[in-house]
Amino acid sequence: MLLPMRQIFQEMAAEKVRLSLTILAVAWATLCIATMLAAGEGLRQGLIRSSESGNGKLIYITGGYATINSGNFYTGKELQIKSEDLDVIKALPSVKHAQPSAIWDERASYKDHRTWQNPLAVSPGYQALTGLKIVSGGRWFNPLDIKEQRKVIILGESAAISLFNESDDFDWINTPKLEVNPVGKKVKVGSEEFTIIGLIKRSSANIEQGIPLNESLFVPFTTWKRFHQNSAISAINIEPIARADRIQVAKTVKQVIARKYGASIEDDQLVQVQDMLLRQKTMRQFLIGLQSFLGIIGLVTLGVAGIGIANVMYATVKRATKDIGVRMAIGATPTTIRLHYLTQSLFTMSIGGLLGLGLAYLLIVLMQALPLAGNGLYDELGKPTPELSLPIVGLVIFALGFVGILAAWFPANRAAGITPLEALQSE
């Protein structure tokens, strides 16, 4: 049996004041839940972008100390990673790329200014491995820099600010701007003079040992070897092949290095491994929990609006008791009566939901247009912006439908249970 849509609209018009207030409540609740979920999604995606850039997807290998007496090693003996170990690791079928790095034990200086971090010696492939980008006008290391062991250096923006700005006072709200173009200028690393060839684009990424990319300095790996002959390197950065078992990759790397140096492959402390991607799981779970919490708050607000719909439905059923009895007397089934009021409730939720989603979209567009570039906290969080994605819209629509059905279910059952005799006796 077709639903009497005209009668549904007439019943809604009879409760226009209450219904209008209820629609506004639904719109407000929809705005809240959509905005909260979008804000949570923006924060989650921003932090994921921040954590996955730099060395966020790499396996980081460093030397450790022996805890088992075996072969060439005794308890407490240090294992120092050598650049030759790179060839052994690259030969593993589960390793896609591997790059060495070494710390230059001197800080960079310009006049009376110094950097916070020591330069990191890397090969040209380190740029592709970490995804760092160079500001226009500069460049990354080229084959000649490596072959000729040139004394060239690349700076992060904050490192350049520390060296060349008159004042580098940090401000979370307004981060300092670099006052000069450092490319072509010379700085000293210890007593050696280096020429700046590039400036790294500002980023919230971290590299080895949690060093912010903006504070980092890079020199050619061969130049470091020229001044540090036969020295141990700091680490090897590994990118596994796609879909590789990262835990197994790390275990295999530890075993081949232990075998190479004649140590026990059972010694877990001999080679230190940090899988930066697996370390992010806890953070991602927290972000999903935070987003769920925000969604629950919005759902509670929507539930309050659902109570308003239930009250309107009860008032409508009471007013239409005689009409319900007449309809049932001429053949209307309880299912038809129940669908009548469920449809009315869902129609009310649809009006309020569309209004709320429209307002949420406009609010998010305004938030995305805010001039937050240069804000230190905003940049550190990965430049999060609210995202009203299709999954969020779908989740909001599902919540609206669920609350709408739940709010109308008991009034609809009440209406479906009215008998013709009860209808005739009502006032």
Side-chain angles (χ1 to χ4, degrees):
M1 182 183 294
L2 296 176
L3 292 174
M5 297 303 297
R6 183 176 179 182
Q7 185 178 358
I8 289 177
F9 294 142
Q10 288 175 345
E11 289 178 357
M12 292 176 67
E15 295 286 347
K16 55 181 176 294
V17 176
R18 289 184 184 180
L19 204 59
S20 297
L21 294 175
T22 302
I23 288 173
L24 289 177
V26 172
W28 172 254
T30 304
L31 172 64
C32 289
I33 190 173
T35 305
M36 287 180 178
L37 288 174
E41 179 66 11
L43 179 61
R44 188 175 72 88
Q45 293 296 338
L47 288 174
I48 288 175
R49 285 193 298 269
S50 177
S51 61
E52 287 189 349
S53 53
N55 70 335
K57 292 184 177 180
L58 306 180
I59 297 176
Y60 183 64
I61 305 294
T62 58
Y65 292 87
T67 58
I68 299 175
N69 295 322
S70 177
N72 299 326
F73 281 81
Y74 54 85
T75 301
K77 182 178 179 179
E78 182 182 8
L79 171 66
Q80 294 184 328
I81 301 292
K82 301 285 188 179
S83 56
E84 295 79 18
D85 299 336
L86 194 67
D87 296 330
V88 178
I89 293 175
K90 282 183 175 180
L92 295 174
S94 56
V95 172
K96 183 178 180 181
H97 297 296
Q99 291 291 329
S101 62
I103 296 176
W104 194 302
D105 292 326
E106 299 280 356
R107 292 190 181 180
S109 62
Y110 179 78
K111 297 181 180 178
D112 58 343
H113 293 181
R114 294 168 62 85
T115 58
W116 291 99
Q117 302 294 336
N118 296 336
L120 191 67
V122 297
S123 299
Y126 191 86
Q127 181 186 20
L129 198 64
T130 56
L132 60 86
K133 298 179 180 178
I134 303 297
V135 174
S136 178
R139 65 176 178 85
W140 185 248
F141 304 126
N142 61 30
L144 280 178
D145 296 327
I146 303 301
K147 181 179 179 180
E148 298 179 3
Q149 302 176 337
R150 292 175 176 174
K151 293 192 291 185
V152 292
I153 191 169
I154 296 170
L155 307 180
E157 185 175 316
S158 297
I161 289 172
S162 299
L163 290 173
F164 296 105
N165 280 17
E166 291 298 325
S167 173
D168 62 346
D169 292 338
F170 186 78
D171 184 349
W172 278 109
I173 305 302
N174 298 302
T175 53
K177 302 295 183 183
L178 186 58
E179 297 171 355
V180 298
N181 181 5
V183 176
K185 295 184 178 295
K186 296 183 182 297
V187 297
K188 284 191 173 183
V189 178
S191 60
E192 301 297 329
E193 195 171 63
F194 281 69
T195 301
I196 300 172
I197 61 171
L199 181 69
I200 301 170
K201 284 187 176 181
R202 176 167 284 278
S203 170
S204 60
N206 292 328
I207 55 169
E208 300 169 23
Q209 299 178 347
I211 298 173
L213 183 58
N214 295 329
E215 297 281 356
S216 302
L217 306 89
F218 298 98
V219 297
F221 187 75
T222 53
T223 306
W224 174 84
K225 291 184 69 175
R226 170 183 161 192
F227 290 93
H228 302 80
Q229 295 182 10
N230 301 320
S231 296
I233 64 176
S234 303
I236 295 177
N237 296 276
I238 299 172
E239 180 185 1
I241 61 174
R243 298 179 182 177
D245 184 338
R246 299 178 69 94
I247 296 176
Q248 185 60 45
V249 171
K251 183 178 179 180
T252 302
V253 169
K254 293 175 71 172
Q255 289 176 348
V256 297
I257 292 179
R259 286 196 184 100
K260 180 178 182 293
Y261 286 97
S264 172
I265 62 173
E266 303 297 330
D267 194 340
D268 292 332
Q269 302 301 315
L270 187 66
V271 181
Q272 299 294 315
V273 176
Q274 297 182 54
D275 192 324
M276 310 310 293
L277 186 61
L278 294 182
R279 287 178 61 182
Q280 298 170 24
K281 281 190 173 181
T282 302
M283 182 197 70
R284 294 189 182 190
Q285 290 171 353
F286 167 76
L287 291 173
I288 291 174
L290 175 62
Q291 194 172 11
S292 300
F293 175 72
L294 293 175
I296 289 172
I297 293 176
L299 190 60
V300 169
T301 307
L302 193 60
V304 173
I307 294 174
I309 290 179
N311 288 332
V312 173
M313 292 295 99
Y314 271 117
T316 302
V317 169
K318 186 176 181 180
R319 179 179 287 106
T321 300
K322 287 187 178 180
D323 292 337
I324 294 171
V326 171
R327 291 178 59 196
M328 296 189 73
I330 61 175
T333 64
T335 299
T336 304
I337 300 298
R338 189 178 290 110
L339 286 175
H340 176 98
Y341 290 100
L342 288 175
T343 302
Q344 186 171 325
S345 175
L346 290 175
F347 192 74
T348 303
M349 295 296 287
S350 299
I351 296 173
L354 288 174
L355 180 60
L357 284 173
L359 291 173
Y361 176 77
L362 292 176
L363 179 60
I364 289 169
V365 169
L366 290 175
M367 293 173 69
Q368 291 174 343
L370 291 175
L372 296 175
N375 183 291
L377 181 59
Y378 175 72
D379 292 339
E380 189 67 22
L381 293 175
K383 299 181 178 179
T385 54
E387 298 182 17
L388 192 61
S389 60
L390 288 178
I392 290 177
V393 173
L395 186 60
V396 171
I397 292 174
F398 173 78
L400 287 167
F402 176 76
V403 172
I405 292 173
L406 189 64
W409 186 256
F410 294 104
N413 279 340
R414 171 73 180 88
I418 293 175
T419 63
L421 180 61
E422 182 182 355
L424 292 174
Q425 291 176 345
S426 66
E427 295 182 1

